[in-house]
Amino acid sequence: MLRTKKQCKLITSVLLGLNTIVFGFYLIHGSYWTRWDFQLLDYVYKKISAWGKGVELAPDITFLDITDKTYEDAGSNSLNREYLANISRELADLGARKIAYDIIFAHPSDPEKDAEFEKSVNEVGNVYLPVAFELSEDSEPFFWKSGLFFEKLKRFSAVSSPHETGRPPAFHGTSRLRATSPLHSRDAFYGQPLTPLNTGHINLTSDSDGIYRHYLMIVKLGQDAGYLPSLPLALYLDANNIPFNEIKIDWGREIYIPSRKDGSEGIRIPINARGETFLPLFPMEGRNSQSINAHNFRKYYADEFLRDELAEQFIEGRFIFIADVSPGIPDFGRFPIYEKEVPLVISHAAILNGLLNNSFYREWSSVDAIFLALIVGLIFAVVAMLKNIHYLYLVGVVVLFAIVVWTFREFSEYRVFPVATSLGSGLLFFSGMVVVVQVITNRDQKFIKDLIEKYVSKKVVDQIIAKPELLALGGEERVVTAFFSDVVEFSSISENLSPEELVELLNDYLTEMTDIIIKYDGTVDKFVGDAIIAFFGAPVPYEDHALRCCLVAIEMQQRLEEMRTVWKAQGKHQLYMRIGMNTGKMVIGNMGSKTRMDYTMMGDSVNLASRLEGVNKLYKTETMISGSTYERVKDDIETRELDTIRVMGRKEPVKIYEVLGRKGEMNSQVNTILSLFNQGVQYYSTRKWEEALAYFEKILQINEHDGPSLTYLQRCKDYQFQPPPDDWDGVHEMLSK
């Protein structure tokens, strides 16, 4: 059944308002994607990869790792370039398709070894040395310098600019290079003037949380100086004889690489407005199975019987990535699917692998994601127009769960979906519809709610609204903690105050104490003059009700001490308070008549809490709990076991404890008193009055106002003259309430 026309119009208006919020977020943020999307997608990515539905590493890629063993084998603490020259020659001898160094040679080394490395680069011909740029989001001019490298770069960019459409790229390389420095100058490693420029940039940019999720495919050299491809893109294009100027770039959408000469279809690489693509990472198991360290490579190459197997298994016809993965090298980073930091060469290999397999992830466009969000909002609005709100909750759960399932499905199909923002939009529409439906539903209940809140706490109101049947007479039995407090000699104080002064003093006191009870989610049952009756654990149940009750008592006594300081300075009367608490089964609920009722507690456990408040007088204490409460708080509250008593009306004796403070807050003097007190009580319980007296007298020498010691001291003296009967069990009988 549908709601009224007026209510449906209100729902439609709210839907339009929520649509405006979604559009506004997109316009202000500039994208529907947020960092929370990618952080949630990391989990999805990891799961998809673990399920074997992600990218697999192509057999055309091999990792040749430089490790600590390599340095030992080369007999040097730094990279031995003569050693690397031999590796390049040996790789070429075994038929490597392309050899790519993920190493920045920043400084010259031994001249002879550098010369040997330079010679090997010229001889092999398919060695690629990377270049890195400082990236800037400003369109700074590219300042050309003299030298062979810049001449080659200028010639390459002049004839190799790709076709481009769409929004210009965000990143531009500046001339401050961080990459290949030749022997004594940068030109030495780049061969003759007319040889190809075998290079590509290796710039990596992590997301704001330090995780590498995207890869910059092409970097623009300043404003008008052309472009340079990334190292893996350069490797792929050169290996397949595809000129760089034949690719097409639609900024914010894709890079298109035309078909190879073998008749295979062209490759479309999705990119964002920054020219980045989502990294198509492969499982680390693939990397481990297709890697060999430099030391073993050279050892196997030196063995003629193993050389052919080495070529077939790792080298022949493959792209070889050479990287330094030894400890202490900074070229490590965090990626979505790996548990720990891994070498950054993984990212270059992942892009080349994506090119070889034509396996790239396409991120949902902001427009498509917003359109889906609006459809979700429309679904919620239509369901909200039904009178039964349970349909809205059901559809809300189904839709939000469907978004999660859809995210996994899309990822397995190489489509990346903005799950966090979509869930956020879905929750926005869902919560918006829930709010408007609740407003509509609660209008008729507002008068009742406002009336009830004048007599009971807000939590009781909330529970009654949620369960109207609670308005019936009766209640339910629960284990809760009852709280009783009373001001010491308040009758005498009130006699000396005018009615106005009495009301002001009492209101100040009750307000401060009540705020503390509410702070710990207690329920104030009632005020009886200066007495406060409360309970913890109802109507909203929680397991630590005894602890909360004790913490309230401690904080109330501390706050009252602060208030006494203020009252004393103002010349006003100072109040002291006694508190009794007990945990046990009680009947909690609405009790009274059909026209007037209270949400309150009843039962023997309630009466015991009230009795304990009064028992404080006998022991001259301020805060007392029963044994049942003590068992629930003994690990968190400092206490002193006072006695075992039998109150009037109860046959079973009750252990009682004084509450001293939070655990660990007692000073050495209090700890000394507790130790002496426990020994004194032990002698008392075994009828050794003189020995007990000695301990209690020691305590009073430390603190002459220690109430429990004064009580036991007098009791021991009385028992010396009139001992208890022979069948005395140590329980003190309370002769009054």
Side-chain angles (χ1 to χ4, degrees):
M1 184 179 295
L2 289 175
R3 300 184 183 277
T4 65
K5 183 181 292 186
K6 185 177 180 180
Q7 292 171 342
C8 290
K9 283 184 177 180
L10 177 60
I11 292 172
T12 303
S13 299
V14 171
L15 174 63
L16 293 176
L18 296 175
N19 289 343
T20 303
I21 292 175
V22 172
F23 274 115
F25 170 81
Y26 167 68
L27 294 175
I28 294 172
H29 189 259
S31 172
Y32 195 69
W33 286 84
T34 66
R35 62 186 177 90
W36 295 292
D37 289 301
F38 292 111
Q39 288 172 348
L40 276 181
L41 285 170
D42 288 349
Y43 174 80
V44 178
Y45 204 169
K46 193 176 297 184
K47 285 296 182 183
I48 291 294
S49 181
W51 295 338
K53 295 183 179 181
V55 177
E56 296 295 331
L57 180 60
D60 307 73
I61 297 174
T62 291
F63 299 90
L64 197 149
D65 297 336
I66 294 173
T67 63
D68 285 344
K69 192 67 176 175
T70 308
Y71 287 94
E72 295 175 11
D73 191 35
S76 174
N77 291 328
S78 59
L79 281 175
N80 186 324
R81 293 179 187 172
E82 183 179 13
Y83 187 90
L84 296 177
N86 291 330
I87 287 179
S88 296
R89 293 188 179 101
E90 291 162 1
L91 287 169
D93 182 52
L94 296 181
R97 191 175 184 184
K98 296 288 181 183
I99 302 168
Y101 279 88
D102 185 31
I103 300 171
I104 295 177
F105 298 99
H107 305 286
S109 64
D110 181 270
E112 294 182 2
K113 294 175 180 178
D114 282 350
E116 192 64 28
F117 183 73
E118 176 188 351
K119 183 179 177 181
S120 71
V121 171
N122 292 327
E123 290 175 357
V124 173
N126 64 348
V127 174
Y128 284 69
L129 301 179
V131 61
F133 299 93
E134 181 177 337
L135 298 178
S136 170
E137 295 198 13
D138 299 323
S139 297
E140 300 177 4
F142 190 86
F143 297 102
W144 296 98
K145 297 181 181 179
S146 60
L148 180 60
F149 171 76
F150 283 95
E151 290 178 10
K152 285 190 169 187
L153 184 59
K154 184 179 294 185
R155 186 166 59 249
F156 174 84
S157 62
V159 300
S160 301
S161 294
H163 301 283
E164 57 177 323
T165 58
R167 187 178 178 182
F171 284 127
H172 313 274
T174 71
S175 59
R176 288 183 286 176
L177 298 177
R178 289 191 296 105
T180 49
S181 296
L183 295 172
H184 299 292
S185 65
R186 293 186 178 182
D187 297 336
F189 286 167
Y190 289 97
Q192 301 302 315
L194 299 180
T195 58
L197 179 63
N198 288 349
T199 191
H201 82 81
I202 54 171
N203 286 93
L204 295 176
T205 54
S206 65
D207 288 357
S208 59
D209 57 1
I211 296 180
Y212 293 93
R213 299 185 181 92
H214 295 86
Y215 191 91
L216 186 60
M217 295 300 299
I218 295 175
V219 65
K220 182 174 176 62
L221 306 178
Q223 291 176 310
D224 304 308
Y227 296 92
L228 188 70
S230 62
L231 180 62
L233 180 56
L235 290 170
Y236 179 82
L237 294 176
D238 291 351
N240 291 281
N241 298 316
I242 301 174
F244 183 52
N245 60 6
E246 289 188 8
I247 72 172
K248 298 177 181 179
I249 307 175
D250 186 357
W251 295 106
R253 292 177 60 88
E254 66 181 20
I255 295 173
Y256 176 72
I257 301 175
S259 304
R260 300 195 297 260
K261 293 182 179 180
D262 60 5
S264 58
E265 63 179 11
I267 298 175
R268 298 183 185 276
I269 307 170
I271 58 171
N272 58 24
R274 297 155 63 97
E276 299 170 318
T277 190
F278 193 82
L279 271 170
L281 298 169
F282 46 80
M284 188 55 68
E285 292 78 8
R287 192 258 189 223
N288 294 337
S289 65
Q290 293 177 211
S291 65
I292 183 171
N293 66 60
H295 168 72
N296 287 338
F297 168 76
R298 298 214 65 199
K299 182 174 68 174
Y300 298 152
Y301 181 84
D303 191 330
E304 294 182 359
F305 297 102
L306 297 177
R307 191 176 299 172
D308 289 343
E309 182 180 348
L310 175 65
E312 181 181 352
Q313 185 174 351
F314 289 102
I315 309 301
E316 187 175 5
R318 298 191 179 202
F319 295 87
I320 312 298
F321 282 99
I322 302 175
D324 192 340
V325 298
S326 56
I329 296 298
D331 284 350
F332 280 73
R334 294 162 55 208
F335 293 85
I337 69 172
Y338 307 130
E339 296 296 333
K340 57 183 181 179
E341 290 190 344
V342 298
L344 295 181
V345 69
I346 287 288
S347 59
H348 310 309
I351 294 300
L352 179 59
N353 185 63
L355 290 164
L356 294 173
N357 292 331
N358 197 3
S359 54
F360 286 96
Y361 290 95
R362 182 175 295 275
E363 296 177 5
W364 270 58
S365 71
S366 294
V367 174
D368 291 342
I370 290 175
F371 181 71
L372 180 62
L374 298 183
I375 292 177
V376 169
L378 181 61
I379 292 173
F380 283 139
V382 170
V383 177
M385 292 178 183
L386 301 175
K387 275 198 170 182
N388 192 337
I389 193 174
H390 294 97
Y391 290 124
L392 180 58
Y393 287 116
L394 176 62
V395 172
V397 172
V398 170
V399 168
L400 295 177
F401 178 74
I403 290 175
V404 176
V405 174
W406 177 260
T407 301
F408 277 90
R409 179 191 176 279
E410 286 292 276
F411 216 104
S412 65
E413 297 292 332
Y414 292 87
R415 291 187 292 269
V416 185
F417 180 70
V419 57
T421 313
S422 297
L423 284 173
S425 298
L427 285 171
L428 175 67
F429 284 114
F430 173 70
S431 58
M433 292 301 111
V434 168
V435 168
V436 71
V437 169
Q438 288 291 357
V439 168
I440 292 171
T441 304
N442 293 340
R443 277 178 176 174
D444 294 336
Q445 300 175 347
K446 188 175 186 302
F447 173 77
I448 298 175
K449 183 175 181 180
D450 290 343
L451 184 63
I452 295 174
E453 279 187 336
K454 296 177 181 178
Y455 301 100
V456 297
S457 70
K458 184 179 182 301
K459 286 193 174 180
V460 176
V461 174
D462 292 341
Q463 188 163 357
I464 291 173
I465 294 297
K467 297 174 67 177
E469 60 271 17
L470 290 176
L471 287 173
L473 295 180
E476 57 182 330
E477 188 177 67
R478 289 194 202 175
V479 175
V480 298
T481 300
F483 172 99
F484 281 76
S485 73
D486 197 17
V487 174
V488 178
E489 297 180 354
F490 187 73
S491 297
S492 300
I493 294 173
S494 62
E495 290 175 358
N496 297 312
L497 296 175
S498 67
E500 293 79 9
E501 292 173 330
L502 179 62
V503 170
E504 181 184 1
L505 179 65
L506 193 58
N507 284 345
D508 288 345
Y509 163 75
L510 292 177
T511 298
E512 293 290 337
M513 300 303 108
T514 302
D515 287 346
I516 296 172
I517 294 173
I518 299 301
K519 172 183 173 182
Y520 287 88
D521 294 334
T523 299
V524 177
D525 187 333
K526 60 178 69 71
F527 301 112
V528 182
D530 60 288
I532 303 174
I533 304 173
F535 49 88
F536 293 76
V540 179
Y542 40 82
E543 290 297 322
D544 60 341
H545 48 81
L547 176 59
R548 295 195 198 192
C549 191
C550 289
L551 293 175
V552 163
I554 293 169
E555 195 165 323
M556 287 173 70
Q557 295 288 10
Q558 292 172 344
R559 179 62 185 134
L560 188 57
E561 184 176 355
E562 295 170 358
M563 295 174 72
R564 284 196 294 269
T565 303
V566 176
W567 288 331
K568 183 178 181 181
Q570 295 174 346
K572 296 182 179 180
H573 287 275
Q574 300 174 53
L575 303 184
Y576 292 84
M577 171 176 54
R578 292 188 295 261
I579 299 173
M581 295 169 280
N582 178 47
T583 303
K585 290 184 178 180
M586 306 171 197
V587 176
I588 301 291
N590 288 288
M591 301 172 201
S593 67
K594 291 183 178 180
T595 57
R596 181 65 184 269
M597 63 182 68
D598 287 323
Y599 188 82
T600 186
M601 57 181 173
M602 293 182 65
D604 185 57
S605 295
V606 180
N607 297 334
L608 179 57
S610 175
R611 300 287 178 83
L612 295 184
E613 182 275 313
V615 172
N616 278 294
K617 299 177 188 177
L618 176 63
Y619 296 90
K620 302 175 181 64
T621 53
E622 292 183 338
T623 308
M624 187 178 295
I625 60 174
S626 65
S628 61
T629 303
Y630 166 79
E631 290 299 326
R632 291 172 176 261
V633 303
K634 59 184 178 182
D635 295 331
D636 301 286
I637 301 296
E638 295 282 4
T639 60
R640 165 165 40 179
E641 183 176 345
L642 293 174
D643 206 346
T644 302
I645 63 173
R646 186 177 287 110
V647 299
M648 289 186 65
R650 287 177 64 106
K651 294 182 179 180
E652 294 298 322
V654 178
K655 279 191 175 184
I656 56 174
Y657 298 79
E658 179 186 12
V659 173
L660 302 174
R662 295 172 183 265
K663 205 73 171 180
E665 291 185 350
M666 299 299 98
N667 57 40
S668 58
Q669 184 185 85
V670 174
N671 289 329
T672 300
I673 290 175
L674 292 179
S675 177
L676 294 172
F677 185 82
N678 291 336
Q679 295 178 67
V681 170
Q682 187 174 359
Y683 281 118
Y684 167 84
S685 62
T686 55
R687 307 168 74 102
K688 296 179 180 179
W689 317 121
E690 289 187 11
E691 290 85 344
L693 276 168
Y695 278 99
F696 296 128
E697 287 171 348
K698 286 181 182 179
I699 294 172
L700 294 173
Q701 289 174 3
I702 299 172
N703 180 8
E704 61 180 344
H705 300 295
D706 186 65
S709 298
L710 289 169
T711 298
Y712 271 98
L713 182 73
Q714 186 60 48
R715 202 182 286 175
C716 289
K717 289 179 179 179
D718 293 342
Y719 282 157
Q720 280 182 320
F721 293 101
Q722 187 176 354
D726 294 338
D727 61 351
W728 179 64
D729 56 3
V731 176
H732 185 76
E733 300 283 346
M734 300 299 297
L735 302 179
S736 65
K737 294 184 178 181

